Amino acid sequence: MPDAAPEATAGPDLLGDAELLRRLYRQMVLIRRFEERVHALRQSGALQGSAHLYVGQESVAVGVCARLRWNDYVASTHRGHGHAIAKGVDVARMMAELFGRETGTNHGKGGSMHIADAAVGMLGATGVVGAGVPMALGAALSARTRGTDQVAVAFFGDGAMGQGLVYECLNMSRIWKLPLVFVCENNGYAESTPVEYALGTKHLAGRAEAFGVPAATVDGQDVFAVYGEMGRAVARARGGGGPSFLECQTYRYYGHFIGDDPRRYRTAEEEAYYRARDCIERFERAVVGRGALAEAELRAIDEEVGRTIEAAVRFAEESRPPAPSALTTDVYAR
Amino acid sequence: MPDAAPEATAGPDLLGDAELLRRLYRQMVLIRRFEERVHALRQSGALQGSAHLYVGQESVAVGVCARLRWNDYVASTHRGHGHAIAKGVDVARMMAELFGRETGTNHGKGGSMHIADAAVGMLGATGVVGAGVPMALGAALSARTRGTDQVAVAFFGDGAMGQGLVYECLNMSRIWKLPLVFVCENNGYAESTPVEYALGTKHLAGRAEAFGVPAATVDGQDVFAVYGEMGRAVARARGGGGPSFLECQTYRYYGHFIGDDPRRYRTAEEEAYYRARDCIERFERAVVGRGALAEAELRAIDEEVGRTIEAAVRFAEESRPPAPSALTTDVYAR
Amino acid sequence: MARELLFSRAENEALRQEMERDPTVILMGEDVAGGAGRADQGFIDAWGGPMGATKGLIQRFGPERVIDTPICEMGFIGAAVGAAVTGLRPVAELMFVNFVGVCLDPIMNEGAFLRYMLGGQVSVPLVIKTAIGATGRAPERGGGSAAQHSGSMYSIFAHVPGLKCVAPSDPYTAKGLLIAAIRDDDPVVYCSHRQLAGTKGEVPEAPYTVPIGKARTLRPGRDVTLVGIARMTGVCLEAADRLAGKGVEAEVVDLLSLSPLDEETLVESVRRTGHLVVVDEDTPRCSVARDVAAVIADRAVDHLDGPVKTVTAPHAPVPYSGVLEAAYVPTPEAVVAAALATLRD
Amino acid sequence: MARELLFSRAENEALRQEMERDPTVILMGEDVAGGAGRADQGFIDAWGGPMGATKGLIQRFGPERVIDTPICEMGFIGAAVGAAVTGLRPVAELMFVNFVGVCLDPIMNEGAFLRYMLGGQVSVPLVIKTAIGATGRAPERGGGSAAQHSGSMYSIFAHVPGLKCVAPSDPYTAKGLLIAAIRDDDPVVYCSHRQLAGTKGEVPEAPYTVPIGKARTLRPGRDVTLVGIARMTGVCLEAADRLAGKGVEAEVVDLLSLSPLDEETLVESVRRTGHLVVVDEDTPRCSVARDVAAVIADRAVDHLDGPVKTVTAPHAPVPYSGVLEAAYVPTPEAVVAAALATLRD
Ligand SMILES: Cc1ncc(C[n+]2csc(CCOP(=O)(O)OP(=O)(O)O)c2C)c(N)n1
Ligand SMILES: Cc1ncc(C[n+]2csc(CCOP(=O)(O)OP(=O)(O)O)c2C)c(N)n1
Ligand SMILES: [Mg+2]
Ligand SMILES: [Mg+2]
């Protein structure tokens, strides 16, 4: 297994776009530091509440969302921090949400599994496996009916491919030619269940193709590969060409939720294999190695991100919890 | 369109089995006469209650069930009379059920959409589109766990292929290698919605293949074709080889339910095309034409079937409705 | 003379008028038009939805707003939720309420909870239009539609916070409640009783709303309050007639809104009459009927002069046989008997 | 001294003993064992189900009887129904009760209705084991699991004819009710409160059943009846202690069986005490709490000396924030206040 990690696949066009490279890097690092901080806060007992960490998969969210406009739509999953950050949700308000504070994205009512920010098209994470997919489909339908050229993205895991709902949506997206991109994050596991057991295969794109939805499989730990394929999918969607399916092969470094020990069901060798392909390190090697960005630039970004995260934690800690009256507001619009 | 109807595909082995031929013929005619009688009773107002007629599709139920043993399982649909008769349910008790009588298969509590007879492995029709499929899957799982070599069949329509549930079952059947045969009766319509609109294609077998389930498409109006392909599927299932998927291309002659006028959504030409391929007529041409059975034999069967149906109607009409107390029995076993 | 319309035509008119008024209103469901994709062959609007309630709309508004769906309630109602939070006001047709079995998730966990989970960021202006109730076919000649097509089940919707649920009892309330549901910024389940579809009544032509959250007193009376839901309101009126013949003055309240519940009207009525019978075609356990009874037992117990009675279906699925189905659904006789029982001393 | 066990170990023991006793009992669900298909790599039983309640069973009974499923509740619970009518007694794990949204159909339209629709031809000996309730995490340091993972929702199951539904309140009733559910020939939803999983109590080692359909009186009292469900039974006991300090003798009834309902025990208690408070973590509308209240308002109205009170969650989804979650769930203080309100005159 320990074959050499392949280089990230940035072509010359991308390597020439320093602005883009900085953005991709910053977002990947921002997600990782956010998550690591959440992990530490949970370990210390300072923070409680259900949370599923995205570390290891950053290149998927970042590569996908880098192709989107602010008013395109994203529907997310229980493992949604990365999607939210990549779509532009403010990390301070996200952290405050995890702390259950009034200043949180959802005013403390949703927590990790439901982080949303309608202002940037983040429709929300959903805790029911698969349930975000029709939400994105509906957003795509809505965009088309309203005559905009907005695109919708549905993120979901390999586990969600057990749910029939996903196939219902593949079918509808195709017959209505909707501007929808299915992004399947195949990290190999649903909780402790390996994908090759649950679905009888490690390769999921073929299922989408059987529904007439063009599908591609990419190395999800290569942000350029994701960005490249997503470019084609978004162009198809925005151009009226209908849905696409992107299978991103990736890996989560932590357990299913904070507290889960993944060594109960995954080998150290397998983990090592994927960690050797770490999306941030590969990005750095490709970009610095080929002189597209100076290492110092990256370190400066690291530092800025570090400060941003610490400010987010302070913001969260200093924010008030919701007023007791919040218990029964927002149940109805009126 | 009016190309010549192809001959039914009986090979010499089948043509030599007069016993089997008589059985296939009798069951197809029994289903048709039963249904036509129900239609007439409904038209005259003598009978009420939801019912969906199977006429036109007889060769599917008969070809499939002719490969099954009495204790193999069948889960059916809202259009279930044909499946029930082919699996060996008594038509008198079925007719009594439609009349809502105590002597009915379900003692009058289920009606057309739920006809069942556990004694012959008919697990029941179900009125929720797709819901019979997991039932058959569970029966297959049960057979395997109990160590029998029973096989289960799930009948469902093209419309059911819109339901994600069917794909959940394809997936489970495959990973667990269950003795299950999926029989998709593609009659081109779900209510008034054409399959090529609802599913974007007229060809459904490829979807099963994408789940790793071996699939075949047959001319569902040719009882020998169905019987042949079903033979392979049952052998695979009983031999531990796992599930199969059979797409049977067929047609219903009447409307979706009794009272629906199919000319609101189907052309006369299309109807003529399929009627020219009528499964009973093609059978008769093939069998009599090639001397496997004498025409007189078929006429004798016709007569016997006619008497059986009339006796069934009399039985139903003379039976009592359920006692008032039946309203609240059978809710619980105890 | 005022204009009379069939119940299902009143619904049709409500949909048409709202779709005209507001271009964000769309309609989705199986065969809401029918014959889909065959317009070039002259097949359009072949079906027109259950009871023909959506007939004619596709000709007026086109297939982009009157959307025939594949059979996938979980998927298309989930999509309706997604559309509702992004600028549309979808009306999703759930052919029979029993099929909530295949789509409770988008109705409850997403549709109803989303606004709260998101801290009020979004509204979910969604209508789920569905058919409820037994068929009422001729007892001796067969039966109805049996257990999977004849339920009422609205107590499930009333239970879920974030949802609203209404059940009209005549063409007038059908049109008014459907328009109110469409204009409402929250998800509303609109329950249309299949046996009412063919009934007639006065319906103003101009659009109007019947307010969600308000019950309606159809007949005043001082001896006992009869509360009806959907078709049971007619049963209560008939019972009230019969009770009048026995010298009992029954007040009839048409509940209309199952969630939110108009507690004030109910409490106020029972405080006057001292006696309550709630009539509900749904099964009894955790029903709207018992919910109303419990509210009264909390808020008006001092005014009660007898047991609070509920007349409901038995705790059993709906039977097929016409004979059994007729015995399943509450009758005026049963309501009269219950009313007399509350008055027993 | 009698043996003490954790609630979740009591459930584990119940499953193990029944699977030993009866080879037709099987277990299905997501990660009920875990690490599936990796036994050759030494990964077996990696997870052991929610709260580890099914840990160790696959080693004993093998993957043919302890079946890890893909994530497809509608499919595998539908399959469990099919297995139940063909000779097995499946226990299907529904990780959290909210997920009933994706599988109500096989539970209701098939599981619960099948026997009736088929005129008694088949039984459906199926157990759905599910987790209910809020997390109860520390208020100021974040939150719980929010709206889609913290519901109670058993009123939906109680509403459905053909289903039974139980909710144990301690390790003893957990083991006894789970065994009873497995042996029952009808479909039973077994609701396991997540906050009880880590509680300890006396549990006999030999298999035993706690009868379905019977409530249990945990503390006698003559002034007011407090009825608790699952974790709320402990809340009632605590409230009873506090009420004792105020000179009020509260009787505490542990409901245990939500369907069928033990009306006799309830009616008999309220006839003695004349006052009733029902405590339920579920939302109020069409809840089990209001169902019990309505039964009393019908059957024991003459014995009531005050309003019938229910103490429930508000009509709102479960919030994430620990501060709000703590305010969401009924507390002993709220029960005491309700009890005093029923005694107000
Ligand atoms: C309908 C439903 N069933 C079960 C669960 C419990 N659950 C939460 S996450 C998860 C696994 C999801 O796996 P996958 O889709 O691969 O996403 P990943 O966790 O790997 O990101 C499960 C079973 C759920 N949330 N919803
Ligand atoms: C879940 C669900 N949705 C909708 C319906 C209403 N309905 C009954 S039959 C039917 C069409 C089914 O089409 P198909 O599966 O092709 O079977 P066919 O009627 O052609 O035999 C529909 C939509 C239903 N019974 N169940
Ligand atoms: Mg995964
Ligand atoms: Mg069809």
Side-chain angles (χ1 to χ4, degrees), chain D residues 207-227:
Chain D
Y208 62 92
T209 59
V210 167
I212 295 174
K214 291 296 292 173
R216 161 175 92 141
T217 303
L218 283 180
R219 172 179 176 138
R222 61 181 180 197
D223 296 330
V224 57
T225 302
L226 309 180
V227 177

Side-chain angles (χ1 to χ4, degrees), chain C residues 48-284:
Chain C
M51 327 282 169
T54 51
K55 191 93 187 160
L57 298 175
I58 192 167
Q59 270 113 335
R60 189 141 190 148
F61 303 106
E64 296 262 309
R65 291 181 65 198
V66 179
I67 307 175
D68 277 321
T69 66
I71 308 175
C72 54
E73 287 83 358
M74 179 124 51
F76 79 74
I77 293 181
V81 174
V85 298
T86 56
L88 299 186
R89 304 184 88 86
V91 178
E93 183 80 53
L94 181 64
M95 215 171 275
F96 291 103
V97 73
N98 284 73
F99 305 160
V100 65
V102 301
C103 58
L104 181 60
D105 192 67
I107 297 176
M108 176 178 76
N109 283 319
E110 287 85 42
F113 292 175
L114 207 56
R115 181 180 171 79
Y116 190 83
M117 291 191 299
L118 267 53
Q121 284 182 55
V122 295
S123 301
V124 187
L126 166 68
V127 177
I128 313 279
K129 178 169 169 292
T130 192
I132 60 168
T135 54
R137 295 231 177 87
E140 296 284 345
R141 298 196 214 148
S145 296
Q148 293 182 336
H149 290 72
S150 312
S152 291
M153 320 206 145
Y154 30 64
S155 78
I156 295 176
F157 305 122
H159 181 62
V160 174
L163 271 189
K164 296 175 179 172
C165 182
V166 297
S169 60
D170 61 14
Y172 175 80
T173 50
K175 178 172 174 181
L177 284 171
L178 186 48
I179 291 181
I182 293 171
R183 295 186 189 176
D184 201 286
D185 284 335
D186 291 308
V188 182
V189 182
Y190 171 93
C191 299
S192 187
H193 197 292
R194 67 198 302 164
Q195 282 188 59
L196 294 176
T199 61
K200 270 199 162 174
E202 282 183 26
V203 178
E205 198 153 343
Y208 62 91
T209 59
V210 167
I212 296 175
K214 291 295 293 172
R216 162 173 90 142
T217 303
L218 283 180
R219 173 178 176 138
R222 62 180 179 197
D223 295 332
V224 57
T225 302
L226 308 181
V227 177
I229 299 170
R231 202 179 80 81
M232 292 302 106
T233 297
V235 169
C236 287
L237 288 170
E238 206 176 316
D241 278 346
R242 300 193 193 185
L243 284 164
K246 296 180 197 290
V248 175
E249 287 182 29
E251 176 148 311
V252 175
V253 176
D254 184 10
L255 198 54
L256 294 179
S257 179
L258 313 186
S259 180
L261 188 67
D262 182 0
E263 295 192 13
E264 298 319 314
T265 297
L266 297 166
V267 167
E268 191 273 329
S269 176
V270 177
R271 285 196 177 143
R272 273 190 291 100
T273 66
H275 299 90
L276 174 64
V277 179
V278 193
V279 188
D280 184 349
E281 188 175 327
D282 203 350
T283 54

Side-chain angles (χ1 to χ4, degrees), chain B residues 5-7 276-277 280-290:
Chain B
E7 185 78 340
R277 283 156 174 74
I280 295 176
E281 289 172 14
R282 272 166 83 189
F283 177 93
E284 187 164 337
R285 278 200 302 276
V287 164
V288 177
R290 293 196 257 157

Side-chain angles (χ1 to χ4, degrees), chain B residues 158-159 185 187 189-190:
Chain B
D158 50 287
E185 299 187 85
N187 62 9
Y189 296 86

